[in-house]
Amino acid sequence: MKPISVQLFSLRDACAKDFVAVLKRVADIGYKCVEPAGFWTLRPRELKKIVNDLGMEIISSHSPWARWTGNTGECMELADALGIKKIVCGYRPDDFEDLDAIKRTADNTNAMLEIFTRNGFTLFQHNHDFEFQRLDGRLKYDIYRELCPGVKFQLDCFWSTNLGTEDPVAILKSYAKDTISLHMKDGICKQHVEGKKMVNGLLERKVDLLPLGTGTLPIKDLIAAAPDSVESIVVELDYVDGDMFEAIEKSYHYLVDNGLAAGNK
């Protein structure tokens, strides 16, 4: 079984108040790994030590987040401090708006990929839903992938459904050889969404998210289809209606109690 991680963006409100207390509580739940999204009051090396002392690991991180505008050096320094050799990138809807935008985005990714590869780092990409819209019948992400075949993927399985219009298991199988981790959130995959815009840097989707195992995402089928290259199953809930810690704990138990991922308890 793959180790279970939690994306700490899920707990951002609590992290802003007491980051160390959040790490301790996540460890108490039983998570094997954390995926940071910001350092709050801690230096990266300090964060790594605290996480390790709590019996957890940092396999991947959303801090640093690579951008083609020139932060590659900073990304490599931060990754070194965290003890990881993988760096993430990701884009906004207008970067996949049409074919010209996809080509520009792929060019930017290839430029970063060359720098990171030369320095011994793996570049992987995290998706949202808009990459799985279709352009002239083709998935936008498939077009993009052909233009930058060297990038790896962290597949967010819920968003890969493009709000219920695509089959996430088929997508995972298609991307299997280049997928290094899976993000799992749950909810009612097929929902009506009124527009998409950026609000405080986040995509506003008006989609209800739920603890794992309480929505319609075929999580068991997805994990059964996960390739050997997947290093971790990462729980990420952008938001929930209720207490986030409870949702994170319920998601942990769903995966671990059903033998879908390995925890520390």
Side-chain angles (χ1 to χ4, degrees):
M1 289 186 290
K2 310 294 184 182
I4 184 172
S5 303
V6 62
Q7 165 52 251
L8 293 174
F9 177 77
S10 310
L11 297 161
R12 58 195 177 279
D13 293 338
C15 289
K17 297 175 183 177
D18 192 336
F19 192 18
V20 175
V22 169
L23 296 172
K24 290 178 179 177
R25 189 164 176 181
V26 165
D28 286 342
I29 291 171
Y31 278 93
K32 275 187 169 292
C33 312
V34 295
E35 188 175 63
F39 303 118
W40 306 104
T41 57
L42 302 178
R43 298 176 68 180
R45 284 186 174 82
E46 184 183 10
L47 170 61
K48 175 177 168 52
K49 183 179 187 307
I50 292 171
V51 168
N52 292 159
D53 287 348
L54 288 169
M56 301 185 295
E57 296 182 38
I58 299 174
I59 295 179
S60 60
S61 176
H62 280 197
S63 295
W65 188 282
R67 296 175 176 84
W68 65 271
T69 48
N71 72 337
T72 52
E74 177 187 2
C75 286
M76 290 185 285
E77 290 295 326
L78 287 173
D80 278 340
L82 292 173
I84 57 177
K85 300 300 289 185
K86 301 178 184 66
I87 295 172
V88 68
C89 68
Y91 296 99
R92 295 178 179 240
D94 55 356
D95 295 312
F96 280 77
E97 184 175 11
D98 54 27
L99 185 57
D100 287 340
I102 294 171
K103 288 179 178 178
R104 287 194 302 270
T105 302
D107 287 343
N108 294 333
T109 303
N110 283 326
M112 292 191 296
L113 182 64
E114 190 279 325
I115 295 169
F116 290 137
T117 301
R118 174 161 38 90
N119 285 277
F121 292 91
T122 296
L123 180 64
F124 70 96
Q125 185 159 340
H126 179 76
N127 66 276
H128 299 94
D129 58 330
F130 54 83
E131 298 95 331
F132 292 94
Q133 297 169 354
R134 290 186 177 263
L135 183 64
D136 295 329
R138 296 191 65 199
L139 291 177
K140 291 180 177 181
Y141 224 26
D142 284 351
I143 299 170
Y144 169 83
R145 184 189 190 189
E146 288 180 358
L147 296 171
C148 49
V151 71
K152 301 300 182 182
F153 296 95
Q154 178 180 71
L155 196 63
D156 188 304
C157 295
F158 185 87
W159 292 136
S160 76
T161 70
N162 187 26
L163 308 175
T165 63
E166 302 293 339
D167 178 352
V169 177
I171 286 173
L172 174 56
K173 290 179 178 179
S174 175
Y175 281 74
K177 74 179 184 66
D178 296 312
T179 297
I180 64 169
S181 67
L182 299 180
H183 263 218
M184 288 291 177
K185 51 176 61 72
D186 208 350
I188 308 304
C189 293
K190 193 169 185 62
Q191 297 188 34
H192 176 64
V193 178
E194 298 177 0
K196 297 174 188 176
K197 59 183 179 180
M198 300 303 296
V199 179
N200 295 325
L202 301 176
L203 283 171
E204 183 186 58
R205 298 182 184 87
K206 299 183 184 300
V207 174
D208 295 327
L209 296 178
L210 301 167
L212 269 60
T214 61
T216 62
L217 188 72
I219 295 173
K220 292 181 179 180
D221 293 340
L222 284 161
I223 292 179
D228 291 341
S229 56
V230 166
E231 295 179 320
S232 180
I233 309 298
V234 185
V235 175
E236 183 194 36
L237 296 173
D238 301 26
Y239 43 80
V240 292
D241 184 13
D243 183 79
M244 181 58 79
F245 272 111
E246 289 183 9
I248 291 298
E249 187 164 3
K250 287 179 181 177
S251 297
Y252 172 89
H253 283 293
Y254 171 76
L255 291 177
V256 173
D257 295 350
N258 284 285
L260 302 174
N264 279 334
K265 293 186 177 180

